[in-house]
Each structure stands twice: as C-alpha cells, then as structure tokens.
Amino acid sequence: MARQVRRAFKYRFYPTEEQAAELSRTFGCVRLVYNKALEERTRAWHVERRRISYTQSSALLTQWKKTREFAFLAEVSCVPLQQALRHLQMAFTNFFAKRAAYPRFKSRKRSRASAEYTRSAFTWRDGHLTLAKMTAPLDIRWSRPLPQGAEPSTVTVSRDSAGRWFVSLLCKDIIPAAPATESAVGIDAGITSLVVLSSGEKVDNPRHERRDRARLAKAQRDLSRKAPGSANRDKARRRVAQVHARIADRRRDFLHKVSTRLVRENQTVVIEDLTVGNMLKNRKLARAMSDAAWRELRSMLEYKCAWYGRDLVVVDRWFPSTKLCGTCGTVRAKLPLDLREWTCECGAVHDRDVNAARNILAAGLAVTACGDGVRPQRDTSRTGRSSAKQETRRATAGALRL
Ligand SMILES: [Zn+2]
C-alpha cells in the first residue's frame, strides 16, 4: 500500500547579491529574535517563576519592533521571525517533556544560519519559488525532480559553514509500497566496518572516507598555523568547512543507500540504542565510525520504516550484545576491543561484530513476539523508559536462562 507523507526536498541555489544580502539580514534577525526570546523566557522563569507562552513571546516581538533599537526587525519578512519563536516553543516543549536539554542560544559561528518561510511568505508558480521581500525567484539547481504536482507548504533557506546556500521544500509525496517480506535484520555498529548485519554481511565505510579524513586533518593543521584574525586564517577556516561539508554530503548519500536497502529488504529492523557518550569513550570506535554517522543512519531508519510500514525495534543499550554467545547464551566477563574473533566455552567460534548483530536481532524479535503491539516510538530512546525497552529486558533475561 502506498503512503502519503510529508517530505523535505533539498536543493542548492545561487542567490543574487540582493537576495544574499536580504537572506543574511533575515538570518541575523531570526537569530536575534530567538536569542532575545530565550533570554526573556529564562529571566521570567528564574526571577518570577513564570512561563512565557508562544503567544506572549509573539507579543514581545511586536513590542521590540516598535523600539528604536530593534526597529530593523520590521524590515525583514515577519514569517521567519514568527517561525523562530515557534522553534523556541518546540525546544521548551521538548525540555519540559525531558526529551531535550535546556534550549541554548544560537551562536553566529556555531549554528547553521537558516530561515523558515510558511505558505504566506512565498509564492510558488510554475516551478519558480519567490520569497517574501524579493522580486526574482531563487535560482535553484533541481538536482532531482519534485513529486508530480507538488506544492511546497514550508520552505527553509539555509547557508552552511562552507558558504553554500540551500533551500528545502516540504511537500506531500507518495511513497510506493515496499515488497512484502517477512525478513528481519539486526544491525550493529561495527568497529572496522560501518555496520555489521546479522546475516554476516559487513557494510564498509565508503572508500573515500579515509582519504577525506586525511584531507580534513591537513586542512585543520593548516588552519592551526595561521595567525588569529588574519585573512589567511579565514581562508583556511573556510577550507576546513568545505572538507567537512563534502564528507557529510558523501556520508549522507551513502547512508541513504544503506538505509533504503535495509528497510526495503526487511519487515523488521533491529538496532541497538548506542549513545554517543558510550561510543566516544572508546577512541578506536569513534575513529572507525563517527557518532554522527550512526545518529544519522538511525534517524533515516526511523522515518523510512515509518514510510514503508516496517517495524524498527530499538534494544536496550545495556543488553550485552557483544559479550553474549549467540549459540549457548553464556555471557563473557570481558571482551577486549582488539579481539576480532572469539571462541566460547561451548565451542562456538564468533566473529565479534556478526555475533553482536545476531544477538541484537534475537533480542528485537523477542520484543515483537511477546509485546502485544509494542512498537518503539520515535522518542523512546530519549526518554529511555519505553515499554519496548522493558520488554527487551524481559526478553533478554529469558534468553539468558536458556
Ligand atoms: Zn557459547
């Protein structure tokens, strides 16, 4: 059965000088409004124990525009500013629901510059996109087609640290049904491979990854040698950002291919809830597969499973996937990281990562078998207290008794 979903399509575009200036101004205002509202909400909470709602912060924005100091806020489109307040509201909602840390200020250097336009703030005609306060449509490079007859409902413009401009269009799309299958797969973050599957297959990092990393290291060395505040340092910084951007692009392409394949081929996909903190404690692991790649793959698996009506099961991170013998159920006390292959007392010889992926699959299947309709939700990993996890724990205990 095909499904209708809302999906973002992202393209590069090349702004005219005026457009770039208008957008840069808008980005600055978005950041200012977000930070000012955050400051106001923080103050109200700490000083007066009072929560400021979205409506109240919106009223504040109206007041700021009337002051001489912030009158310039009235010069850019008001929609991205309102959207910034909505994003802040969402950040607070997540914070109060204990899904996220307290919202942080957006820094000019560290955060991606972006502005979100809703339907009233752009026109879409014959495939041309024109934003509020602009006369000419954006010069978009349509690297892939939009779905037939698509009408964007929200448009997000951004500029990355390498100075490239992107526009992301949120459209309705029809996702064709994936082939019916009963297959299930367990996925583990490998040490030398990107991911290892319960089928025994190892999916390696793309070949250029190593070379790109060497390039990145060189660009960073160059940067560290430049005098602070010099024009050369700026150039070197941009170079580092470009290398970073290219690595991220290539990795994303690769992860898209891997995740689409895994989701299309399997009805059930089981992954382990690895946390970034856990992974970074181990330098070797951190080098072999950056935490960013795993997070990205996981989020792709989440939404693609939803698209295709597949089940994604996340097993508890305390589950001893690596040290558990998949054949007899014995748990080893220790398993040094450099041990690629090990032999259990029962005589079974295990490839470390494949054994882990098989155990993850078994734990995941136990969850789906005993849980009545237990399906991990998108945010279970963050709350850490989902019923799916408890089910996993129970299932694990059961497996160990065997
Ligand atoms: Zn064994």
Side-chain angles (χ1 to χ4, degrees), residues 325 327-330 344-348 350:
C325 168
T327 312
C328 71
T330 306
C344 178
E345 290 157 5
C346 75
H350 296 298

Side-chain angles (χ1 to χ4, degrees), residues 1 3 178 263 266-267 303-311:
M1 185 186 64
R3 279 157 203 266
V263 171
N266 297 282
Q267 178 54 43
Y303 71 73
K304 288 180 187 178
C305 279
W307 282 358
Y308 291 109
R310 306 303 207 199
D311 301 315

Side-chain angles (χ1 to χ4, degrees), residues 116-129:
E116 195 175 284
Y117 295 78
T118 50
R119 201 67 193 85
S120 61
F122 65 83
T123 57
W124 172 254
R125 201 167 293 130
D126 308 326
H128 292 292
L129 177 73

Side-chain angles (χ1 to χ4, degrees), residues 319-326 329-332 342 350 355 359 400:
F319 171 63
S321 58
T322 313
K323 296 174 195 156
L324 174 72
C325 168
T330 306
V331 180
R332 274 180 71 118
W342 56 283
H350 296 298
N355 175 58
N359 287 333
L400 292 178

